[in-house]
Structure formats: structure tokens, C-alpha cells
Amino acid sequence: GQPYLWARLDRKPNKQAEKRFKRFLYSLEDCKEFVWNVEEDFKPVPDTWIPAKDIEFSNGNPLPDENGHMPGWVPVEKNSKQYCWHSSVVNYEAEVALVLKHHADPGLLEISPVPLSEILEQTLELIGTNINANPYGLGSKKQPVHLLVPHGAFEIKNPPALKQNEILSWFEGCSEGKVEGIVWHCHDGCLIKLHRHHLGLRWPLAETYLNSQPVVVAFNRTKYDCDFEPKSLFHHFSKLDGQRFGRLQDIKFD
């Protein structure tokens, strides 16, 4: 009954099962369908793990996809060691998350706490100091900074046509294309993600679209009936309320 942030955790086969599966994939003679022993072939996952929505089941067990994985989710607990960067951007006592989004003023970004109730059932990207080589230059080793970016928060103004050469030209030929990828939101609710790597394009880039815009911190601390821990990101950002920076990597807490 409480809104929670969940981290993706794919359940993968153990070494023996993975070797068997790869032998099957590389065998041109074997045309039979590969058969998994779901109970024995896969690495254990926490009891709180749940499979993704579109996973198929057989005899009560989730079935792996064509890659031999079972996409799923685990709740991000407070003070989690494995998901410490995820947990740094949520506060369950105040029920808020630190989110990067557009400001009401065009051409300006905003970092602010957003109620978890407003982002229920959404997928979000975690960015920051210790995520994917930190392409946005956020924070430092001494003071890591992480933020959540909802998929759909940055809508493409002039999307390319759904042709490979048009998409390549968009990624390489305009400032708006200096992003990690595109997520298409389909009418049936499906999300389709295209990464630059899928097209053989380089990432990260020296200059990114997100880092080409100024950013303001909007954090009205009086709205929250709790004390944020002194070392938390929420405490640090609350001290920057109203401050504006030239770009994301200019944010400093000192």
C-alpha cells in the first residue's frame, strides 16, 4: 500500500545452463526448441523479486525470454547496499523522489522532489556519478549526485521518421539528437527503447543535449513534515532551493 521505487533485476541462468543454452544457439543442426528447467537452471533472486508484466508462465513458473533472461523488478529498500544509488534518490518517509525534468520556462531544466504518487507505474532512468560512466558529469567521487529522469519527461520536438537513415541523421546532425537514445510511447502502452549503440553510434558524448541547458533547483522544504538526513541528497538539494546553474555538471554542494 506504499509507493515504492523498484530496480530492474533480470533473473539469468547459472553457468551450466548458460553453456547449454549457448551450445543450442550455435548448433545449426538442432532445430528443436530449447527446454529450460526453470527451477534448477536459474540463479536465485530475492523473495521480493517479481517478474515483468509480459513474462509468460508455465505451471506457475515464469518463463525466460528468447535471450534466456527473465526481466523483473525488486523493491529498492532504504540503505540498500546493492542499490545504494537508487535509494539515494528516494525518501519513503516524505514519499518523494529527486527528479530531473523541464522547468515551466522554455530552455530551462529543473531538479525537484516529486511525490512518488505522481510517478506510479512509470519507468525512469537513473543518472549520476556512478551510473554508466556519468555522461552528464554529475557530482564527484567525494559527493556523488544521482537523479531520476522519467521516460517521456523530455519529449522530442522534431522526431525523425521511422527510417534508419533518418534516425541516424537525427542522432548525428542536430543538438536535440545528442542523447543516449529514444523511447517511443506506443498507443497500446508499449515502450520501445532505441540506444545509440543499436545503430553503432558512440556514447557517451563530450557534449550532451541535457548538459546544454541551464538548470534550477526547486525545493520547498516547508512542504515536507520530516527531517532529511544531513548527508542525504535531499538535504543538500534543499539548501540549493532557488539556485540556478549553467548546466548539470556545475552543481556543487560546497
Side-chain angles (χ1 to χ4, degrees), residues 10-210:
D10 288 1
R11 192 175 182 189
K12 299 179 181 179
N14 55 41
K15 287 184 178 180
Q16 294 82 1
E18 187 173 19
K19 286 180 181 178
R20 209 171 77 246
F21 183 56
K22 285 183 176 179
R23 282 199 301 270
F24 166 80
L25 292 178
Y26 296 140
S27 171
L28 299 178
E29 301 171 2
D30 193 348
C31 61
K32 295 183 297 182
E33 186 176 340
F34 187 82
V35 178
W36 292 99
N37 183 331
V38 176
E39 294 181 357
E40 296 182 6
D41 286 345
F42 287 84
K43 296 176 183 178
V45 288
D47 293 338
T48 51
W49 180 85
I50 60 171
K53 284 184 177 179
D54 290 338
I55 290 291
E56 296 181 5
F57 281 75
S58 175
N59 298 323
N61 290 316
L63 295 175
D65 60 19
E66 68 275 10
N67 299 311
H69 293 183
M70 293 185 211
W73 306 94
V74 288
V76 175
E77 303 292 354
K78 182 181 179 181
N79 301 323
S80 166
K81 289 185 178 180
Q82 185 175 1
Y83 298 104
C84 57
W85 310 123
H86 292 75
S87 67
S88 72
V89 297
V90 287
N91 184 293
Y92 293 124
E93 188 179 344
E95 295 192 351
V96 291
L98 276 173
V99 169
L100 175 69
K101 57 184 180 178
H102 276 302
H103 188 268
D105 296 342
L108 181 63
L109 305 180
E110 177 185 309
I111 296 171
S112 58
V114 171
L116 293 175
S117 59
E118 291 185 11
I119 50 177
L120 290 177
E121 295 296 316
Q122 290 190 32
T123 58
L124 309 99
E125 199 84 17
L126 182 68
I127 65 171
T129 310
N130 297 289
I131 306 298
N132 296 335
N134 192 17
Y136 310 108
L138 277 164
S140 63
K141 186 175 182 179
K142 183 180 178 182
Q143 181 56 72
V145 174
H146 296 89
L147 299 165
L148 288 172
V149 183
H151 289 140
F154 294 93
E155 187 175 350
I156 296 171
K157 297 172 186 173
N158 299 299
L162 293 178
K163 297 179 181 178
Q164 184 171 351
N165 62 331
E166 296 277 351
I167 295 172
L168 276 167
S169 297
W170 181 83
F171 273 123
E172 295 189 297
C174 68
S175 60
E176 196 182 20
K178 293 181 177 179
V179 292
E180 185 177 0
I182 305 174
V183 177
W184 276 276
H185 293 243
C186 305
H187 292 301
D188 62 359
C190 287
L191 304 181
I192 300 175
K193 182 176 181 178
L194 176 71
H195 195 285
R196 293 178 75 95
H197 288 157
H198 296 150
L199 298 170
L201 297 176
R202 184 168 54 90
W203 182 262
L205 301 173
E207 293 293 331
T208 65
Y209 180 62
L210 276 184

